[in-house]
């Protein structure tokens, strides 16, 4: 579980502008390491800070030091992908006194191929609860609250449904699977183990995701905004809105619409020079 210090295991919670972060996500509750606070923090975080890969598409570095992440996700009108979200959320958990560890997941989405383990997650044990809870704050489509890491657990958060499954892994190492219910039933979202991960591990994974030619995040813009009532996703020029009942709507946007859609629907404001490059990317897709 988390411990501060200079040995690489800490999450820089002492350098977090906690007041600014809590204001950014609209959280005004208690600041104690309890399950109730954890639930409220995750709901506030995932519904306030969008998911986006703008820097990777633009060929800009995606730094994971806390100061850079705060400038972008807290002080700026931007979002981030899973590593940025988890670094920020973990620093807040550390500052508030939670016991936790970073984890790494492997996105599946019914893909028969083994994909790289590049999804950041957190396992948390609150001070007032003996159970272990999964905080998946950086996927872009919830969940709204933590989910207990226990085989067969099913949850419903305002109509958004998720399920946890344990499977026997290689050499007896448990594999944990998170499923999400959609229009076509249960979809396996990602799998993970409980092997602890640290900031340096995320730096390695993030470098691949943000720079490798085979990474989908370097090829096209991908943004998401999630709430209790809808999930907006912009994948290239395809804007899809999902709802808890499984229904969805989809349409293509024109490059000239990008600035408005990002600002009004995803709460993302990009610099003019960046906007021009992103518009050109949509036009050439």
């Amino acid at each position: 579980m988390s411990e501060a210090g200079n040995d690489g295991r800490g999450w820089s919670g002492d350098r977090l502008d906690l007041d600014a972060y809590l204001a950014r996500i609209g959280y005004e509750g208690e600041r104690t390491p309890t399950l109730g606070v954890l639930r409220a923090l995750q709901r506030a975080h995932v519904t306030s800070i969008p998911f986006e890969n703008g820097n990777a598409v633009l060929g800009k570095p995606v730094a994971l030091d806390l100061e850079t992440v705060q400038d972008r996700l807290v002080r700026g009108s931007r979002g981030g992908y899973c590593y940025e979200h988890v670094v920020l959320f973990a620093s807040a958990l550390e500052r508030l006194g939670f016991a936790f560890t970073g984890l790494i997941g492997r996105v599946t989405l019914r893909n028969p191929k083994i994909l790289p383990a590049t999804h950041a997650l957190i396992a948390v044990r609150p001070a007032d609860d003996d159970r272990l809870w999964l905080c998946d704050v950086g996927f872009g489509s919830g969940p709204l609250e933590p989910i207990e890491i226990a085989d067969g657990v099913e949850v419903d958060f305002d109509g958004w449904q998720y399920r946890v499954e344990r499977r026997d892994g290689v050499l007896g190492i448990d594999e944990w699977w998170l499923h999400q219910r959609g229009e076509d039933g249960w979809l396996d979202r990602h799998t993970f183990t409980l092997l602890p991960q640290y900031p340096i591990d995320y730096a390695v994974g993030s470098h691949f995701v943000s720079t490798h030619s085979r990474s989908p995040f370097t090829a096209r813009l991908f943004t998401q905004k999630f709430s209790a009532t809808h999930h907006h996703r912009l994948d290239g020029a395809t804007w899809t809105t999902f709802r808890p009942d499984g229904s969805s709507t989809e349409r293509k946007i024109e490059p000239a619409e990008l600035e408005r859609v990002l600002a009004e629907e995803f709460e993302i404001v990009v610099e003019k020079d960046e906007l021009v490059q992103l518009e050109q990317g949509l036009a050439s897709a």
Side-chain angles (χ1 to χ4, degrees):
M1 293 298 176
S2 174
E3 58 184 82
N6 298 319
D7 59 0
R9 291 181 173 85
W11 296 88
S12 303
D14 58 328
R15 294 198 292 273
L16 174 69
D17 186 341
L18 184 60
D19 290 338
Y21 168 68
L22 296 180
R24 171 74 166 93
I25 65 175
Y27 177 83
E28 298 179 344
E30 296 181 356
R31 301 186 181 189
T32 53
T34 63
L35 179 56
V37 169
L38 185 66
R39 285 172 167 154
L41 279 176
Q42 177 160 328
R43 180 176 284 260
H45 183 109
V46 301
T47 58
S48 298
I49 305 178
F51 179 106
E52 55 127 323
N53 66 329
N55 273 15
V57 173
L58 294 167
K60 295 185 174 183
V62 181
L64 295 184
D65 63 282
L66 182 59
E67 190 58 32
T68 299
V69 172
Q70 287 188 104
D71 280 343
R72 186 171 166 81
L73 275 66
V74 175
R75 304 183 184 111
S77 298
R78 297 295 296 269
Y81 58 28
C82 65
Y83 293 110
E84 296 166 281
H85 278 273
V86 168
V87 164
L88 181 60
F89 197 72
S91 70
L93 295 181
E94 186 174 79
R95 180 71 169 271
L96 294 172
F98 281 94
F100 68 93
T101 186
L103 302 175
I104 202 73
R106 190 184 307 277
V107 176
T108 53
L109 299 177
R110 295 182 181 145
N111 196 318
K113 295 182 179 179
I114 295 292
L115 300 177
T118 55
H119 180 53
L121 304 150
I122 304 177
V124 186
R125 181 166 285 123
D128 63 340
D129 192 284
D130 290 335
R131 293 169 293 179
L132 195 61
W133 296 84
L134 179 69
C135 289
D136 189 3
V137 298
F139 199 80
S141 57
L144 287 166
E145 297 181 13
I147 302 174
E148 183 187 359
I149 302 176
D151 188 27
V153 165
E154 292 189 13
V155 294
D156 184 318
F157 301 128
D158 297 343
W160 301 103
Q161 298 178 52
Y162 306 85
R163 185 182 75 207
V164 175
E165 177 187 357
R166 187 197 67 79
R167 299 182 187 176
D168 293 331
V170 177
L171 299 178
I173 299 172
D174 287 345
E175 290 183 356
W176 294 95
W177 291 70
L178 180 66
H179 303 257
Q180 182 171 355
R181 184 182 287 278
E183 190 173 15
D184 299 323
W186 288 109
L187 171 67
D188 53 283
R189 205 164 92 166
H190 49 68
T191 180
F192 61 94
T193 69
L194 297 181
L195 176 67
Q197 301 289 308
Y198 302 103
I200 188 60
D201 300 311
Y202 288 170
V204 173
S206 180
H207 179 70
F208 171 86
V209 169
S210 64
T211 65
H212 199 280
S213 60
R214 292 180 60 186
S215 169
F217 283 176
T218 64
R220 66 189 186 279
L221 183 65
F222 190 71
T223 67
Q224 300 181 87
K225 189 69 170 64
F226 186 70
S227 77
T229 59
H230 62 267
H231 166 218
H232 289 308
R233 184 183 72 190
L234 184 64
D235 187 351
T238 303
W239 174 18
T240 308
T241 299
F242 303 91
R243 297 174 185 83
D245 64 3
S247 64
S248 63
T249 56
E250 178 181 298
R251 77 173 180 89
K252 297 286 186 178
I253 69 168
E254 298 298 325
E257 298 180 87
L258 182 61
E259 182 177 22
R260 180 191 63 80
V261 170
L262 286 179
E264 295 181 5
E265 306 296 342
F266 294 88
E267 299 179 11
I268 296 171
V269 178
V270 298
E271 301 293 334
K272 289 298 182 182
D273 61 327
E274 296 176 333
L275 178 64
V276 170
Q277 294 181 64
L278 293 173
E279 289 174 340
Q280 292 173 344
L282 287 190
S284 62

